[in-house]
Amino acid sequence: MFDTSNAKKLVEVRDLKMHFPIRSGLLRRVTGAVKAVDGVSFDIYEGETLGLVGESGCGKSTCGRAVLRLYEPTGGSIKLDGEEIAHAPFDKLRRLRPKMQMVFQDPQASLNPRMTVAGIIGEPLSEHSDMNAKARLERIYELMDAVGLNRDFANRYPHEFSGGQRQRIGIARALALNPKFIVCDEPIAALDVSIQAQVVNLLEELQAKLGLTYLFISHDLSMVRHIADRVAVMYLGKVAELAPRDGLYDEPLHPYTQALLSAVPEPDPTLHDEANRIILQGDVPSPANPPEGCNFCTRCPKVMDICRKIDPEFREVKPGRFVACHLYAEDTNQTAANAAEPVGA
Amino acid sequence: MPDGATPFVLDVKDLKTVFRTRGGEVHAVNDVSFTLKPGELLGVVGESGSGKSVTMMSLIRLLPMPPAEIRGGQVMFEGQDLARVPEETMRAIRGARIGMVFQDPMTSLNPVFTVGYQLMEPLRKHMGMDKRAAANRAVELLELVGIPDARRRLGDYPHQFSGGMRQRVMIAIALACDPKVLIADEPTTALDVTIQAQILELIKDLRQKLGMAIVWITHDLGVIAGIADRVMVMYGGQVVEQAPVRELFANPQHPYTRMLLETVPHIKGARAEKLRVIQGQPPILAKAPESCPFMARCPQAFDRCAAQNPARYDVGNGHDAACFWDFKTGAPRDV
Ligand SMILES: Nc1ncnc2c1ncn2[C@@H]1O[C@H](COP(=O)(O)OP(=O)(O)OP(=O)(O)O)[C@@H](O)[C@H]1O
Ligand SMILES: Nc1ncnc2c1ncn2[C@@H]1O[C@H](COP(=O)(O)OP(=O)(O)OP(=O)(O)O)[C@@H](O)[C@H]1O
Ligand code: SF4
Ligand code: SF4
Ligand SMILES: [Mg+2]
Ligand SMILES: [Mg+2]
């Protein structure tokens, strides 16, 4: 497993906030904010894959986009390779763009239907490099080889490809400028199970070959267990828990992580009988109006009085293991510690 | 058992559905046969385009015709062949004797009518209830599917409910007329896992209370493992394997099923360094198959597979597989 002890931090995110204004009334005045990402901190080490999981609307995509500066963040700091970019001006960003890229969920929607495959893959090269046409075509072929697309398809259009092949086109495009860091936002969610493995294996091979660093956003917890070195679990705009992969899956600490993992149905009928599922009641609150205190307090099976008043701090409770929960507060009393026993233990 | 009666609530034989499009024919469903016992939950898995939805839509005749054309087959339900009954009879069965739930509740619930109206309508139409009786039953149904404050919520519109609650409402509507069979097409695919877990618990609970038979379509092997009694695997418009759930997972006999089970990562237990890949793409269904539909992707394929489309061979334990290769003997099947 990935060793962080002597690895370099490629991405450092501190207290990142991305709030979207809510406008209402005739004058479209700002009357509130959707706190899509609300104070998130994590590091991504060079060469690792950080998985980012959580339910729909918890802020995963917004977080990934903000880290790439596709948004102007409301607050916080983002360092890429040591350079502060959270509020960097346009020309500095333009210089840094090639280092960081994105692969999107829906390969259909993210590719321009009127451009050929060569046009799509070559577009970033025309924008960010002064290669001549011949060198560019060479590079396009090289990229097509790298992602396993037949060179003969260079002049075809996206609709002539299957979903898995379209995702390969998206990956080839993301690789065009030799990035160091790629945000993969649900890159396999739109693909069939039998095709998902093809794309995930490709991402892993490219990582090994090119030393890439990934932020892998997904709601598929089993696939994240396969691909990620460390995993961050988001709930309602915040990171609830961040841990090395095996630690997180074997012994989740945060009550939300525990519930989330226990809700995943295993493809094995014999495991379902003994599954000790935690069924969460109710729905996720709106990020425009998050509850006071811990944002999970409305659904948490272990909620305490303090949880409804004070927002728990996100802190390292064991080496490499970060949790935002009062059960792990330094002054934890005995009852709270007992309540924190992992499920099925 | 009286003459002509069967132990099945639903008995489908050799169903064949073709779409006639400008680009040519699409043979979406090829000789699909299956049965459903009272109270049983049949899981249907298969990748996108394998014919899961079209099969179920064909048997309740809920397809646009044209372009769809049901070319053959028999669908026995309560002593009648649904492939042959007049449309009027079909209308009385659909949504009443056979309930339906679809993937996206937002497209199947009508946004301009209240949830109460949409629940009461089938009760008045199919069960002849008056307004008061229908309203009372609607409240009962919403309570049954776990919607709090049910009477007040009758007046709410679909957009006032969350995704999980809308799916509960859809289930309540499908259950309104006490159906014998419920067809659920990917009812939890659009939901988050914690909400999916709530719906799966609800279905288990309802099965015990109501005893209806269910056909549950999904591409999620985990969901199938959790709720199905029996599983039918579809590939290229055909049933390629069918078995009781434990038997299927423990002892898969079709190469597609075997590879599918190996390609999905697990949340617990050993973790494979590399995922098993099924190379290639699903078949194009331009004509009725003359060879095995899985041939192009099958590591086991041999000469016979190109010459013939395999029948479903009984392999024991209520289990059948449409494959010429016999994994038990490690040799071609002797038939
Ligand atoms: N441009 C925007 N303007 C206003 N609100 C937004 C915008 N983008 C996202 N949001 C809101 O921010 C919250 C987080 O959205 P986000 O897309 O980041 O979630 P997600 O975790 O990626 O969800 P999913 O799994 O469904 O993709 C949601 O409530 C969403 O509605
Ligand atoms: N209206 C239509 N016109 C033409 N072809 C159609 C039509 N509806 C479905 N098909 C084709 O029929 C085949 C079976 O489709 P079906 O919707 O049953 O697949 P499925 O197994 O339900 O897939 P999914 O998991 O994506 O829902 C596919 O090849 C599909 O393209
Ligand atoms: S802080 Fe309280 S409400 Fe929040 S997760 Fe921990 S125990 Fe639950
Ligand atoms: S019949 Fe032949 S090609 Fe088809 S699944 Fe069996 S071995 Fe493979
Ligand atoms: Mg997203
Ligand atoms: Mg379908």
Side-chain angles (χ1 to χ4, degrees):
Chain A
M1 200 154 135
F2 192 85
D3 181 15
T4 53
S5 56
N6 43 20
K8 177 185 147 201
K9 289 176 182 173
L10 183 67
V11 181
E12 294 164 79
V13 175
R14 291 292 172 275
D15 203 22
L16 180 65
K17 291 196 170 105
M18 187 67 228
H19 295 179
F20 296 105
I22 301 172
R23 295 173 192 275
S24 49
L26 272 180
L27 299 172
R28 315 291 303 147
R29 257 204 281 272
V30 175
T31 52
V34 177
K35 297 176 180 163
V37 173
D38 199 24
V40 156
S41 302
F42 55 84
D43 297 323
I44 310 179
Y45 294 91
E46 188 154 44
E48 82 162 339
T49 299
L50 178 70
L52 184 58
V53 302
E55 295 177 279
S56 186
C58 70
K60 303 181 295 297
S61 298
T62 306
C63 183
R65 292 168 152 268
V67 168
L68 289 186
R69 276 304 312 276
L70 300 175
Y71 291 132
E72 178 76 46
T74 312
S77 145
I78 304 161
K79 280 189 193 154
L80 178 72
D81 230 353
E83 285 197 75
E84 176 61 51
I85 60 166
H87 303 285
F90 180 77
D91 48 330
K92 181 171 176 190
L93 273 182
R94 190 181 153 76
R95 178 171 58 74
L96 289 170
R97 273 279 166 246
K99 280 196 190 178
M100 42 185 195
Q101 292 293 323
M102 186 143 180
V103 173
F104 297 91
Q105 165 166 2
D106 186 352
Q108 177 79 46
S110 59
L111 304 176
N112 185 339
R114 278 183 286 277
M115 281 169 82
T116 62
V117 169
I120 291 168
I121 300 175
E123 197 181 31
L125 296 171
S126 329
E127 261 175 45
H128 285 274
S129 76
D130 21 294
M131 282 184 183
N132 62 29
K134 186 161 172 288
R136 200 163 62 225
L137 189 63
E138 253 330 289
R139 176 72 181 141
I140 290 167
Y141 283 153
E142 204 178 287
L143 289 160
M144 290 181 76
D145 294 346
V147 300
L149 283 170
N150 192 323
R151 289 180 176 204
D152 296 342
F153 295 161
N155 291 317
R156 296 201 184 173
Y157 291 88
H159 74 265
E160 297 174 66
F161 293 89
S162 69
Q165 286 173 320
R166 279 195 288 259
Q167 199 53 286
R168 287 171 195 267
I169 300 171
I171 295 169
R173 179 188 157 95
L175 291 175
L177 300 168
N178 283 318
K180 291 185 137 176
F181 173 53
I182 302 184
V183 173
C184 305
D185 190 359
E186 307 263 12
I188 55 167
L191 306 177
D192 256 315
V193 180
S194 77
I195 310 296
Q196 288 182 353
Q198 295 180 7
V199 172
V200 164
N201 285 357
L202 172 66
L203 288 170
E204 289 183 322
E205 281 159 29
L206 292 169
Q207 179 169 49
K209 214 185 307 174
L210 307 172
L212 297 168
T213 303
Y214 293 139
L215 177 64
F216 189 90
I217 299 174
S218 178
H219 62 263
D220 182 339
L221 291 144
S222 307
M223 194 57 94
V224 167
R225 176 172 181 238
H226 175 78
I227 198 171
D229 300 298
R230 292 184 309 134
V231 182
V233 181
M234 274 187 88
Y235 185 81
L236 204 60
K238 296 194 163 147
V239 174
E241 178 162 4
L242 190 158
R245 178 229 307 144
D246 291 346
L248 188 101
Y249 284 86
D250 294 345
E251 190 212 352
L253 297 179
H254 195 283
Y256 178 62
T257 318
Q258 293 171 356
L260 193 63
L261 291 177
S262 93
V264 177
E266 269 283 274
D268 181 350
T270 57
L271 293 177
H272 280 263
D273 303 342
E274 61 211 47
N276 201 350
R277 259 182 241 303
I278 308 166
I279 306 284
L280 288 180
Q281 300 303 313
D283 294 300
V284 184
S286 157
N289 189 17
E292 202 179 315
C294 171
N295 65 1
F296 189 50
C297 71
T298 55
R299 299 171 85 200
C300 181
K302 292 171 183 168
V303 62
M304 307 171 288
D305 284 343
I306 182 179
C307 309
R308 297 199 181 84
K309 291 176 207 120
I310 299 169
D311 187 8
E313 191 195 342
F314 180 68
R315 46 182 286 275
E316 190 165 13
V317 297
K318 291 186 201 178
R321 303 213 47 171
F322 297 81
V323 188
C325 173
H326 289 304
L327 294 172
Y328 304 93
E330 265 151 327
D331 51 335
T332 303
N333 59 38
Q334 203 47 45
T335 16
N338 286 342
E341 282 289 293
V343 213
Chain B
M1 216 177 291
D3 263 0
T6 73
F8 306 117
V9 271
L10 192 61
D11 189 349
V12 177
K13 279 206 182 72
D14 300 327
L15 192 64
K16 206 188 290 279
T17 306
V18 175
F19 290 95
R20 305 175 70 153
T21 70
R22 253 181 294 162
E25 294 193 336
V26 179
H27 290 248
V29 177
N30 289 306
D31 292 330
V32 165
S33 302
F34 68 93
T35 58
L36 194 62
K37 292 193 208 91
E40 183 179 44
L41 196 149
L42 175 70
V44 183
V45 276
E47 59 195 2
S48 188
S50 59
K52 306 181 295 293
S53 300
V54 174
T55 298
M56 300 311 153
M57 293 299 123
S58 300
L59 65 88
I60 50 174
R61 298 193 348 216
L62 205 62
L63 287 171
M65 303 197 211
E69 184 190 315
I70 297 179
R71 287 247 170 110
Q74 203 188 33
V75 181
M76 296 308 293
F77 174 75
E78 298 190 322
Q80 327 185 61
D81 181 359
L82 300 187
R84 286 185 179 74
V85 297
E87 178 52 29
E88 207 181 316
T89 314
M90 199 62 233
R91 249 188 314 234
I93 291 173
R94 216 187 282 134
R97 306 298 299 141
I98 301 181
M100 288 108 48
V101 184
F102 301 104
Q103 172 167 353
D104 183 357
M106 221 29 193
T107 56
S108 18
L109 284 171
N110 191 328
V112 304
F113 293 114
T114 64
V115 157
Y117 176 84
Q118 296 184 60
L119 262 167
M120 285 153 65
E121 212 232 10
L123 293 167
R124 304 187 68 181
K125 189 170 95 188
H126 294 297
M127 316 275 278
M129 287 188 186
D130 65 18
K131 209 169 165 184
R132 174 191 293 268
N136 287 335
R137 173 79 179 137
V139 170
E140 252 174 57
L141 286 161
L142 287 183
E143 281 169 354
L144 183 70
V145 298
I147 300 226
D149 205 5
R151 190 165 293 273
R152 189 182 59 76
R153 301 227 61 175
L154 286 183
D156 285 352
Y157 291 87
H159 74 265
Q160 292 170 282
F161 292 80
S162 69
M165 284 167 96
R166 282 198 287 266
Q167 203 51 287
R168 287 171 188 265
V169 170
M170 280 306 301
I171 293 170
I173 294 174
L175 297 179
C177 304
D178 213 355
K180 264 221 145 128
V181 173
L182 177 69
I183 295 177
D185 191 350
E186 310 251 10
T188 60
T189 302
L191 304 175
D192 278 316
V193 298
T194 64
I195 309 296
Q196 168 171 286
Q198 293 174 358
I199 300 284
L200 295 180
E201 282 302 304
L202 170 67
I203 288 292
K204 284 184 197 161
D205 181 45
L206 290 177
R207 283 183 68 192
Q208 292 204 323
K209 281 191 192 141
L210 309 176
M212 73 213 141
I214 302 177
V215 178
W216 190 283
I217 301 176
T218 176
H219 61 265
D220 188 331
L221 293 167
V223 169
I224 286 285
I227 61 166
D229 299 313
R230 206 151 52 80
V231 187
M232 166 165 119
V233 182
M234 291 192 70
Y235 189 86
Q238 293 175 215
V239 178
V240 293
E241 185 157 12
Q242 181 281 128
V245 67
R246 280 166 184 267
E247 163 75 12
L248 186 98
F249 279 83
N251 197 14
Q253 294 298 309
H254 191 281
Y256 173 65
T257 318
R258 296 169 77 95
M259 291 166 80
L260 195 63
L261 291 174
E262 283 174 30
T263 195
V264 292
H266 291 240
I267 196 104
K268 289 192 202 96
R271 188 182 148 276
E273 267 319 304
K274 211 160 171 66
L275 292 177
R276 169 103 196 232
V277 164
I278 307 181
Q279 295 296 351
Q281 302 292 332
I284 294 160
L285 306 167
K287 52 183 176 27
E290 286 148 6
S291 54
C292 171
F294 192 54
M295 194 182 66
R297 306 173 79 183
C298 182
Q300 218 70 45
F302 58 107
D303 44 4
R304 187 177 181 188
C305 314
Q308 259 181 296
N309 186 6
R312 286 166 63 182
Y313 299 106
D314 188 343
V315 298
N317 301 329
H319 186 169
D320 62 71
C323 177
F324 291 127
W325 189 261
D326 187 342
F327 286 93
K328 292 183 174 159
T329 61
R333 215 174 275 289
D334 190 16
V335 277

